[in-house]
């Protein structure tokens, strides 16, 4: 029984390890179904392809070599292409859900646990982590503050052991020397002697070197020679960073600065200060650094150069406040003693244009409970915020203090101002809108008004009475009133004409008396180059009498309109609701194109001039192949699928074997001649081997170190440059390897992996073994 348990555990471990392997690294894919993958697993496959810089076509060849059916590969491709893109908000949502699940698991054992409270706390903590002002300074990869090692050495740079100096004397006397400063601070210059430079600023060190060299090189004293001293290789120094996300001792370049070291260490930790960072040298704080000066002003005066054994200490922040709502940069801001709210708001770049400044809400935390403070635009500048304050600025209301609106059948609908103490009536507003249109509905208009209790009432207006000057019907307007002037629907329909087909701007155009077909054609941008002379006008029949036998409801006019002679169109009078169609030329076709790429004399796009054009026709039109063309790799790309071409047969038959007809959108690819063969898959070393004529496949496998333990040599196949493939064959135990061509890819697939037993099989096996053991025990008893 003990052995059965061990077998069970081993099988479970193997199963989980197999499940964890990457998709393309599995040996046997013959049983894989595209439908079995979850959305998360499909995303992992995409990530695997990107990590290996592999296209799906290349992955398809590998999958086919490992036994995956082509139908399942096609289904998998369709599922990968249909995956919805994951936006940043969805990724953040995923992080929030993970934080919630983790928090939920850890608190399930507590009695009285409330899910909503835990979720709120976790999301708040995640939100705060991302909202601390200044944190982006250390999460942006492109902003590392790395020192420029190629810049001119600053005059105040302190030299030290292991700095390498380049000394060049040019002019009447010439001398070059490159050397490092020794551990005891000496620079030993041939023929000059020892010069102590460690601990000196670079400018002072250059002066000392020059002074010593003048003793040997007289032309340096007279000015007939010039001296150049540069630091060609800077030494490394050690700094200690405390209170960072990744505290510790760091080895950095001696040209590094405080900001560079902070970035390396990930910036302040969750409780670290951004405004009181200490630079400690020789047990003394030589500078207190406020990162807000750099973040808000671009001031780098605190970005001091580091020296060996410097300590950067990030203390815990003393106070933070949370700015929410209509700030230009809402977030969590650190405060210093004595700072007023106005200074903090300046760090947030002030308020947005939509901020309501007559009430700024401050939510404070006292010793026992919360407290609210109301501020406004006049007194918030004098408020000294306390640690933990939440400052909330709401937006202005989405309403107007002096607006009235008019909509519908007027010439200028829209918003209009209602000035203070102004008496504005319905007739006045219509006059401001340039009056009503011809197809207005006169019996009635509607006034929509919001009452004091915020409910809406609809007031009927006798528009005809208002326009005729009746004072009793002319109502005075109030703020936020909406006047709706209706169209007369029967008139509205009769005041349009429609045109479609081969005109530049088809659509619906207003009708007017004496309007001709030529006028409508001009309004629609006139004929396109595809337009024929056939123009049809459909006209409805309007009759008050019902005639059962008359089934026709439309009249159509078949017109011949010459675009160069529009007299016929100018003499045709339109009627309301006429529908005009300009027909297309029957023989007009947009050219269909084929693309030629690679080693042809004139690559580019070529039009299909006639039906059933062959590949050889296009090769001739492109000027033929170049001297570098690899004719065995000619292929056609159609709908993302590769179609291999055997050009040698076409050449032998002088074109007679060319039965391949090109289609619109095809791409003919003629690669450059290759002199190598790629060996990949389950070999000891994936490599590229120089092609040698008449060498067998085994020669290239040998150059790749041979097949590894997982490789299945008898299933080795070759992918030729034109996209075709050939595999190894075996007859009576004799293997026949495919011929290798330059530019080929030799792929050695993996041996099929043995699938582990599932739970049902394990239970069955255990039951069988137990029964067998019972029988043996009964026999031997």
């Amino acid at each position: 029984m003990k052995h059965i348990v061990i077998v069970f555990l081993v099988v479970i471990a193997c199963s989980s390890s197999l499940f964890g392997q990457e998709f393309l690294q599995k040996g046997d894919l013959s049983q894989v179904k595209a439908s079995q993958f979850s959305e998360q697993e499909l995303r992992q496959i995409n990530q695997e392809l990107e990590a290996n810089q592999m296209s799906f076509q290349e992955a398809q060849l590998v999958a086919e070599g490992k036994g995956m059916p082509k139908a399942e590969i096609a289904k998998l491709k369709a599922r990968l292409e249909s995956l919805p893109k994951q936006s940043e908000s969805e990724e953040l949502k995923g992080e929030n859900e993970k934080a919630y699940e983790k928090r939920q698991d850890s608190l399930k054992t507590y009695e009285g646990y409330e899910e909503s409270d835990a979720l709120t706390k976790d999301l708040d903590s995640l939100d705060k982590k991302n909202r601390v002002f200044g944190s982006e300074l250390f999460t942006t990869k492109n902003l590392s503050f790395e020192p420029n090692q190629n810049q001119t050495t600053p005059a105040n740079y302190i030299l030290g052991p292991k700095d390498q100096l380049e000394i060049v004397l040019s002019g009447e006397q010439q001398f070059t020397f490159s050397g490092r400063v020794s551990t005891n601070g000496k620079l030993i210059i041939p023929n000059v002697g020892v010069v102590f430079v460690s601990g000196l600023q670079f400018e002072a060190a250059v002066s000392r070197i020059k002074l010593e060299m003048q003793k040997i090189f007289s032309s340096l004293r007279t000015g007939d020679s010039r001296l150049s001293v540069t630091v060609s290789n800077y030494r490394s120094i050690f700094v200690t960073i405390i209170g960072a996300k990744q505290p510790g001792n760091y080895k950095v370049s001696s040209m590094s600065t405080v900001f560079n070291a902070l970035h390396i260490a990930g910036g302040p930790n969750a409780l670290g200060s951004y405004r009181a960072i200490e630079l400690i040298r020789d047990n003394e704080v030589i500078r207190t650094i406020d990162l807000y000066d750099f973040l808000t002003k671009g001031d780098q005066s605190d970005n001091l150069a580091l020296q060996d054994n410097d300590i950067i200490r990030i203390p815990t922040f003393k106070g933070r406040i949370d700015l929410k709502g209509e700030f230009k940069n809402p977030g969590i801001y650190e405060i210093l003693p004595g700072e007023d709210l106005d200074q903090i708001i300046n760090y947030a770049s002030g308020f947005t244009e939509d901020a309501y400044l007559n009430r700024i809400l401050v939510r404070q935390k006292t010793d026992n409970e919360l407290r609210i403070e109301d501020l406004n635009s006049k007194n918030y500048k004098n408020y000294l915020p306390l640690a933990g304050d939440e400052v909330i600025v709401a937006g202005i209301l989405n309403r107007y203090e002096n607006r009235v609106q008019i909509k519908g059948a007027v010439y200028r609908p829209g918003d209009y101002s209602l000035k203070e103490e102004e008496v504005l009536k319905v007739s006045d507003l219509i006059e401001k809108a340039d009056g009503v249109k011809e197809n207005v509905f006169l019996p009635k208009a509607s006034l929509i008004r919001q009452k004091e209790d915020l409910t809406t009432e609809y007031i009927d207006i006798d528009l005809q009475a208002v326009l005729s000057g009746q004072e009793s019907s002319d109502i005075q307007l109030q703020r936020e009133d909406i006047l709706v002037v209706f169209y007369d629907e029967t008139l509205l329909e009769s005041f349009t004409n429609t045109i479609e087909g081969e005109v530049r701007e088809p659509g619906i155009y207003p009708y007017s008396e004496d309007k001709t077909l030529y006028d409508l054609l001009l309004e629609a941008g006139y004929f396109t180059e595809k337009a024929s002379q056939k123009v049809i006008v459909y006209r409805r029949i309007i009759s008050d009498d019902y005639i059962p036998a008359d089934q026709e409801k439309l009249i159509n006019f078949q017109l011949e309109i010459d675009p160069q002679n529009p007299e016929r169109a100018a003499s045709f009078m339109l009627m309301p609701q006429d529908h005009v169609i300009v027909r297309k030329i029957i023989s007009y076709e947009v050219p269909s194109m084929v693309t030629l790429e690679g080693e042809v004399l004139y690559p580019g796009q070529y039009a299909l001039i006639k039906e059933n054009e062959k590949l050889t026709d296009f090769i001739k039109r492109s000027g033929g192949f170049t001297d570098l063309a690899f004719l065995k790799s000619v292929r056609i790309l159609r709908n993302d699928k590769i179609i291999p071409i055997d050009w040698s047969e076409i050449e032998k038959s002088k074109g007679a074997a060319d039965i391949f007809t090109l289609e619109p959108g095809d791409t003919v690819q003629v690669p450059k001649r290759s002199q190598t063969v790629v060996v990949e898959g389950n070999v000891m070393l994936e490599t590229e081997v120089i092609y040698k004529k008449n060498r067998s496949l085994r020669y290239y496998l040998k150059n790749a170190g041979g097949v590894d333990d997982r490789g299945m040599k008898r299933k080795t196949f070759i992918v030729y440059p034109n996209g075709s493939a050939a595999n190894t064959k075996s007859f009576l135990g004799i293997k026949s390897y495919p011929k290798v061509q330059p530019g080929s890819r030799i792929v050695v697939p993996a041996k099929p992996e043995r699938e582990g037993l599932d739970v049902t099989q394990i239970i069955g096996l255990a039951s069988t073994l137990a029964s067998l053991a019972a029988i043996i025990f009964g026999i031997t008893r």
Side-chain angles (χ1 to χ4, degrees):
M1 192 65 184
K2 179 179 178 182
H3 291 84
I4 294 174
V5 173
I6 293 172
V7 171
F8 178 82
L9 294 175
V10 170
V11 170
I12 292 294
C14 291
S15 299
S16 60
S17 67
L18 287 173
F19 181 78
Q21 288 182 351
E22 292 183 340
F23 168 66
L24 286 178
Q25 291 183 356
K26 293 181 182 293
D28 183 14
L29 301 177
S30 59
Q31 303 302 317
V32 171
K33 303 293 183 185
S35 58
Q36 74 187 46
F37 295 106
S38 66
E39 183 175 321
Q40 181 62 29
E41 289 170 332
L42 290 172
R43 293 191 187 280
Q44 289 175 355
I45 292 174
N46 268 336
Q47 291 170 2
E48 183 183 348
L49 294 178
E50 290 176 5
N52 292 310
Q53 296 182 343
M54 182 182 291
S55 67
F56 189 86
Q57 290 179 355
E58 294 171 324
Q60 180 177 344
L61 292 173
V62 176
E64 287 178 1
K66 295 184 178 183
M68 187 171 181
K70 291 184 178 180
E72 294 299 325
I73 294 175
K75 291 178 184 177
L76 179 60
K77 181 182 179 183
R79 290 200 64 193
L80 290 173
E81 290 176 347
S82 63
L83 271 178
K85 291 186 178 179
Q86 196 169 16
S87 63
E88 292 182 6
S89 60
E90 288 173 333
E91 291 173 2
L92 181 59
K93 179 182 176 184
E95 291 183 17
N96 294 345
E97 289 173 350
K98 289 177 184 176
Y100 168 57
E101 290 170 2
K102 182 178 179 182
R103 178 70 171 170
Q104 189 182 41
D105 290 340
S106 63
L107 294 179
K108 275 182 179 177
T109 56
Y110 288 87
E111 189 176 353
Y113 167 67
E114 295 181 8
E115 291 185 1
S116 59
D117 290 344
L119 176 61
T120 302
K121 289 177 183 177
D122 282 326
L123 296 189
D124 280 348
S125 66
L126 182 62
D127 188 42
K128 286 182 179 179
K129 178 181 177 183
N130 296 327
R131 291 179 60 241
V132 175
F133 180 68
S135 59
E136 70 278 3
L137 194 62
F138 306 104
T139 56
T140 304
K141 294 181 180 179
N142 296 330
L143 186 65
S144 62
F145 302 101
E146 290 183 1
N148 182 4
Q149 304 284 3
N150 297 321
Q151 67 177 345
T152 304
T153 305
N156 60 351
Y157 174 74
I158 306 296
L159 288 173
K162 296 188 178 180
D163 275 335
Q164 183 165 342
L165 299 182
E166 297 284 340
I167 300 174
V168 177
L169 183 67
S170 58
E172 183 179 309
Q173 293 176 296
Q174 297 183 355
F175 173 79
T176 59
F177 168 70
S178 176
R180 289 185 181 274
V181 180
S182 65
T183 53
N184 54 7
K186 299 176 182 178
L187 182 66
I188 303 175
I189 306 174
N191 302 325
V192 176
V194 176
V195 182
F196 290 92
V197 294
S198 182
L200 294 179
Q201 291 188 351
F202 179 69
E203 191 173 28
V206 171
S207 298
R208 181 172 291 185
I209 292 169
K210 184 176 182 180
L211 186 65
E212 293 296 326
M213 291 185 66
Q214 284 177 351
K215 297 176 182 179
I216 304 300
F217 299 98
S218 58
S219 61
L220 190 58
R221 293 194 303 271
T222 60
D224 294 326
S225 294
R226 293 182 300 278
L227 180 67
S228 169
V229 181
T230 58
V231 180
S232 60
N233 197 356
Y234 294 93
R235 70 187 186 278
S236 296
I237 60 174
F238 288 90
V239 295
T240 302
I241 305 176
I242 304 170
K245 289 179 182 176
Q246 300 169 5
N249 294 320
Y250 288 87
K251 183 180 180 181
V252 298
S253 166
S254 58
M255 287 286 284
S256 297
T257 62
V258 173
F259 289 1
N260 176 229
L262 286 172
H263 194 277
I264 294 172
N269 61 28
L271 300 178
S273 170
Y274 285 77
R275 309 200 59 190
I277 300 172
E278 297 173 348
L279 177 59
I280 301 173
R281 184 174 296 162
D282 298 329
N283 295 322
E284 291 185 9
V285 178
I286 65 167
R287 180 70 68 95
T288 300
I289 298 161
D290 187 348
L291 292 177
Y292 280 20
D293 289 338
F294 173 71
L295 289 165
T296 59
K297 305 173 190 174
D299 183 357
Q300 291 204 57
S301 57
D302 284 342
N303 192 19
L304 300 181
L306 294 173
Q307 294 186 18
D308 202 17
N309 296 319
D310 275 355
I311 298 173
I312 299 174
R313 176 180 171 270
I314 306 174
T316 303
F317 68 85
K318 293 183 179 179
R320 285 177 179 173
I321 66 172
D322 195 352
L323 304 186
K324 296 181 176 180
E326 296 299 326
F327 295 97
K328 289 182 179 176
N329 288 312
I332 297 172
Y333 289 80
E334 185 177 342
I335 58 173
L336 297 179
E339 277 189 326
D340 56 41
L341 183 58
D342 188 39
Q343 290 174 279
I344 305 300
I345 291 174
N346 284 335
Y347 292 140
S349 301
F351 305 101
T352 68
E353 295 79 2
D354 296 328
Y356 178 67
L357 299 182
N358 284 335
R359 181 176 184 255
I360 300 174
L361 175 65
V362 180
R363 187 180 291 124
Q364 300 174 339
K365 297 176 182 177
T366 66
D367 294 338
N368 299 317
E369 55 191 359
L370 297 176
R371 181 174 178 273
I372 284 179
E373 184 82 24
D374 277 333
L375 306 174
N376 57 41
S377 58
K378 296 180 180 179
N379 61 12
Y380 80 85
K381 296 182 179 181
N382 300 321
Y383 175 75
L384 294 178
L386 304 175
D389 278 1
E390 286 186 7
V391 183
I392 303 168
V393 175
I396 58 175
L397 297 177
N398 187 22
R399 54 183 293 182
Y400 294 82
E401 62 180 22
N402 66 335
R403 179 184 67 168
V404 292
Q405 300 178 67
I406 185 169
K407 300 179 179 181
V410 292
Y411 282 103
R412 298 188 184 278
D415 299 343
Y416 290 88
S417 65
L418 179 63
K419 297 180 181 177
E420 207 171 324
E421 298 181 358
E422 178 186 13
V423 176
L424 187 70
K425 296 184 177 182
V426 171
S427 60
D428 299 325
L429 183 57
I430 292 173
E431 185 179 351
K432 284 188 174 186
D434 282 353
V436 296
K437 292 184 177 180
E438 294 86 349
N439 52 349
V440 66
F441 184 69
L442 291 173
K444 176 186 174 181
S446 186
L447 182 65
I448 305 173
R449 174 168 291 174
Q450 191 178 73
K451 297 193 294 187
E452 292 182 1
D453 61 358
L454 300 182
T455 60
T456 301
E457 66 173 333
Y458 293 83
I459 304 171
D460 289 337
I461 305 291
D462 186 344
L463 186 59
Q464 191 162 11
V466 170
L467 295 177
S468 62
Q470 291 185 17
E471 290 288 338
S472 59
S473 300
D474 203 1
I475 298 176
Q476 183 176 341
L477 300 175
Q478 300 177 7
R479 179 172 67 91
E480 287 297 275
D481 277 352
I482 302 173
L483 178 62
V484 181
V485 180
F486 301 107
Y487 285 96
D488 187 332
E489 294 298 329
T490 59
L491 293 175
L492 183 64
E493 290 181 356
S494 64
F495 275 82
T496 60
N497 294 124
T498 303
I499 185 169
E500 60 180 271
E502 295 304 324
V503 289
R504 289 184 172 81
E505 296 179 13
I508 300 174
Y509 291 88
Y511 168 78
S512 60
E513 289 187 16
D514 301 327
K515 187 171 185 176
T516 66
L517 176 58
Y518 184 56
D519 297 329
L520 181 59
L521 287 169
L522 291 176
E523 280 186 298
Y526 214 57
F527 298 105
T528 69
E529 67 277 3
K530 295 182 283 185
S532 72
Q533 295 186 8
K534 294 186 180 296
V535 179
I536 303 173
V537 180
Y538 292 100
R539 179 172 296 167
R540 64 180 180 170
I541 299 173
I542 302 175
S543 176
D544 293 333
D545 299 324
Y546 173 65
I547 306 173
D550 187 6
Q551 299 297 319
E552 293 187 2
K553 304 298 180 185
L554 292 174
I555 305 172
N556 69 83
F557 300 90
Q558 304 283 344
L559 306 176
E560 292 283 339
I561 305 295
D562 183 0
Q564 304 300 324
N565 186 15
E567 291 183 4
R568 180 76 179 90
S571 63
F572 186 89
M573 304 302 298
L574 293 176
M575 296 291 290
Q577 286 298 100
D578 277 357
H579 195 114
V580 180
I581 300 176
V582 179
R583 296 296 186 192
K584 179 182 177 182
I585 299 173
I586 296 175
S587 60
Y588 187 91
E589 292 292 341
V590 177
S592 298
M593 308 302 290
V594 168
T595 304
L596 270 68
E597 295 178 350
E599 297 303 317
V600 291
L601 287 177
Y602 301 104
Q605 288 193 324
Y606 291 84
L608 284 163
I609 299 174
K610 58 185 179 180
E611 292 186 2
N612 302 323
E613 279 201 276
K614 306 296 184 186
L615 174 61
T616 49
D617 297 331
F618 284 93
I619 297 297
K620 290 177 183 177
R621 286 163 61 186
S622 68
F625 300 112
T626 68
D627 294 338
L628 298 176
F630 190 36
L631 301 185
K632 292 184 179 180
S633 65
V634 177
R635 56 183 178 258
I636 294 172
L637 190 63
R638 176 180 294 171
N639 298 327
D640 295 330
K641 294 182 179 178
I642 296 175
I643 304 172
I645 300 297
D646 189 348
W647 189 260
S648 60
E649 288 190 11
I650 296 176
E651 275 190 324
K652 289 177 184 176
S653 66
K654 298 182 179 180
D658 183 13
I659 59 172
F660 197 84
T661 302
L662 294 183
E663 295 181 1
D666 281 353
T667 300
V668 180
Q669 297 177 333
V670 184
K672 187 180 292 186
R673 186 183 299 114
S674 175
Q675 296 299 325
T676 61
V677 175
V678 175
V679 185
E680 61 187 25
N682 288 274
V683 291
M684 300 302 291
L685 175 66
E686 292 189 331
T687 185
E688 256 185 273
V689 181
I690 295 175
Y691 172 77
K692 292 190 177 181
K693 192 174 182 180
N694 297 328
R695 291 285 188 172
S696 69
L697 182 143
R698 285 181 294 181
Y699 165 79
Y700 296 97
L701 291 178
K702 183 178 178 182
N703 276 271
V707 179
D708 63 20
D709 293 340
R710 296 181 64 249
M712 191 160 49
K713 186 176 180 181
R714 61 188 177 85
K715 291 291 185 180
T716 300
F717 64 94
I718 295 180
V719 181
Y720 292 113
N722 66 355
S724 61
N727 61 353
T728 303
K729 297 177 181 178
S730 179
F731 180 71
L732 298 177
I734 301 173
K735 294 184 179 63
S736 174
Y737 295 104
K739 188 176 180 180
V740 181
Q741 296 177 3
S744 300
R745 286 171 51 234
I746 300 173
V747 181
V748 181
K751 296 175 182 177
E753 296 179 358
R754 295 181 180 178
E755 295 187 1
L757 299 176
D758 58 25
V759 176
T760 305
Q761 292 171 325
I762 292 171
I763 294 172
L765 177 61
S767 300
T768 302
L769 292 174
S771 300
L772 183 60
I775 293 169
I776 295 171
F777 179 75
I779 294 171
T780 58
R781 186 174 177 181

